[in-house]
């Protein structure tokens, strides 16, 4: 995995919400100012747009710390690209284009599970 630096504003989120519990957990252990030593975030391309496949909470913490250039790598995992396309479409419909757009969409864990995780599970089931 070869990592490189990319402007966070050039990377689209692929989820509609953040989990407050995860932000709280990571907030104590993740130091966004330590960019050089933090694990890079996985991204893929959809058309001409790069998007996060994971690491939305860390991306959010970078953004909150006003760190705009972050370490990333091209995710080569075999992912369900139909699901990611659906998620990216949901984000466009909800006008979630930048990680900063999620700052007003932070939910308690149980609501995150209901509103996001369940929605994704239902989308997977409808693909079958």
């Amino acid at each position: 995995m070869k990592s490189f630096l990319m402007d966070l504003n050039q990377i689209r989120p692929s989820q509609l919400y953040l989990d407050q519990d995860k932000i709280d957990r990571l907030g104590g252990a993740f130091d966004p100012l330590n960019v050089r030593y933090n694990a890079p975030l996985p991204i893929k391309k959809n058309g001409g747009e790069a998007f996060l496949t994971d690491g939305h909470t860390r991306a959010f913490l970078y953004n909150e710390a006003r760190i705009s250039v972050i370490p990333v790598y091209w995710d080569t995992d075999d992912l369900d690209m139909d699901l990611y396309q659906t998620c990216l479409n949901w984000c466009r419909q909800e006008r979630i284009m930048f990680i900063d757009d999620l700052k007003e969409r932070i939910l308690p864990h149980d609501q995150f599970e209901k509103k996001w995780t369940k929605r994704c599970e239902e989308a997977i089931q409808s693909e079958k």
Side-chain angles (χ1 to χ4, degrees), residues 62-77:
Y62 276 125
N63 188 69
E64 289 294 289
R66 302 213 187 315
I67 306 293
S68 62
V69 178
I70 64 167
V72 296
Y73 69 95
W74 293 114
D75 189 340
T76 58
D77 289 347

Side-chain angles (χ1 to χ4, degrees), residues 41-54:
L41 303 183
I43 61 173
K44 279 194 180 277
K45 266 207 173 170
N46 177 40
E49 291 182 326
F51 68 93
L52 289 167
T53 60
D54 195 17

